[in-house]
Amino acid sequence: MNTAGLAILVRMGNCLCVKERIKVNGRQYYIRERLGEGGFSMVDLVEDASSHKLYALKRITCHAQTDQKVALAEVEYLKALSHPNIVECIDSDLVGMPDLMGNRTSQVLIVLPYCQRGTLHDELMRRQQSGSHLDEVVVLSMFRRICEAVQCMHSAKPHPLAHRDIKTSNILLKDDLTPLLMDLGSVTRARLEINGSSEAHKLQDEAAERSSMPYRPPELFNVEFFCHVDERTDVWSLGCLLYALCFYKSPFDAVYERGDSVALAVVSGITKFPETHPYSEDIVELIKSILKVNPEERPYVDWIINKVDQLINKSSGAV
């Protein structure tokens, strides 16, 4: 064997020897590559050491007990909300204990399905580059499935839940474009009675931390001191997501990217549509009917699903 061939074998051997491993509930995985990261979490592509099946491993670093409580709540919501359009929790584990004084952290590990296609955001960015719009029936079908996942949360017992961070990058896509709602770290009780300035500021701060600006509803930018907030916070986000399904991005993404005031744009309720596009007036009117600044004028997700069904039947020629 020549020197070059031997060197290749040595490098291959070294790769096999140093392949990083991680255990979740005693089950061993090899870490293949980093898929994404942000805040206090990261997602890696991992391979089951026994079955060699690929998964996505989400690792949430917790610096305090409050962080750990939120991360463990995400695991519980994933397990409790069983729906074909909500991402499945394959397995989970807690490693270590957080201690601010001792500068120690814990990690909540969540094994999730791996979707090679990536997120809806990835799909829409690819399509924007090629100028390829999704077909209207495909848009409506995908949107309906996402709404069904949200409906599952809004009808949860003993109390309705709200996702509070619905956006294209929180929708995984299977190879056949089946959407999966993910990242339940922002999930909370949907219906809240706000009584006073401290409760209003608390909710506003939580929204600033957990709800992405281009998809955040107007009532969470400036929370009134005495008000009622319900699951229609998610409905606003669904309206932004339907707009993105048609036109690649939220109607407020451009404002955010320019560095202008998203809050002002959202509260003004002015939604601009491209002058030319391949979609019917029906779908434009649906977006407008969802993006109502006053949450009391906003529909519930059940109404949206019924309306989408009507548009699908109309598009397919059904009476």
Side-chain angles (χ1 to χ4, degrees), residues 76-77 80-81 151-162 189 191 231:
E76 292 306 309
Y77 286 132
L81 295 167
Q151 184 185 47
C152 174
M153 302 183 71
H154 290 184
S155 58
K157 304 296 182 184
H159 46 74
L161 298 171
R189 287 194 180 199
R191 299 172 184 175
E231 55 267 42

Side-chain angles (χ1 to χ4, degrees), residues 179-297:
L180 298 173
L181 182 62
M182 67 169 184
D183 200 350
L184 306 191
S186 57
V187 171
T188 185
R189 287 194 180 199
R191 299 172 184 175
L192 300 173
E193 294 291 339
I194 304 301
N195 295 298
S197 60
S198 61
E199 291 183 10
H201 290 314
K202 181 174 181 288
L203 178 57
Q204 192 167 310
D205 289 344
E206 287 175 356
E209 181 182 346
R210 301 180 187 177
S211 305
S212 301
M213 291 184 74
Y215 291 82
R216 192 186 309 165
E219 64 268 27
L220 295 185
F221 275 102
N222 296 295
V223 180
E224 297 179 6
F225 289 175
F226 295 91
C227 67
H228 170 76
V229 174
D230 63 24
E231 55 267 42
R232 285 173 289 185
T233 53
D234 281 347
V235 168
W236 174 276
S237 303
L238 284 171
C240 294
L241 189 137
L242 178 56
Y243 184 101
L245 276 166
C246 295
F247 310 116
Y248 310 119
K249 294 183 178 181
S250 159
F252 306 103
D253 262 317
V255 180
Y256 180 78
E257 289 164 2
R258 288 197 306 267
D260 293 339
S261 173
V262 177
L264 187 62
V266 168
V267 171
S268 71
I270 299 172
T271 304
K272 296 181 179 179
F273 293 85
E275 291 184 6
T276 59
H277 59 78
Y279 298 106
S280 68
E281 189 61 28
D282 288 333
I283 204 167
V284 171
E285 288 303 314
L286 177 58
I287 294 169
K288 290 179 179 178
S289 68
I290 297 172
L291 291 178
K292 297 290 187 181
V293 173
N294 183 351
E296 295 301 320
E297 297 176 7

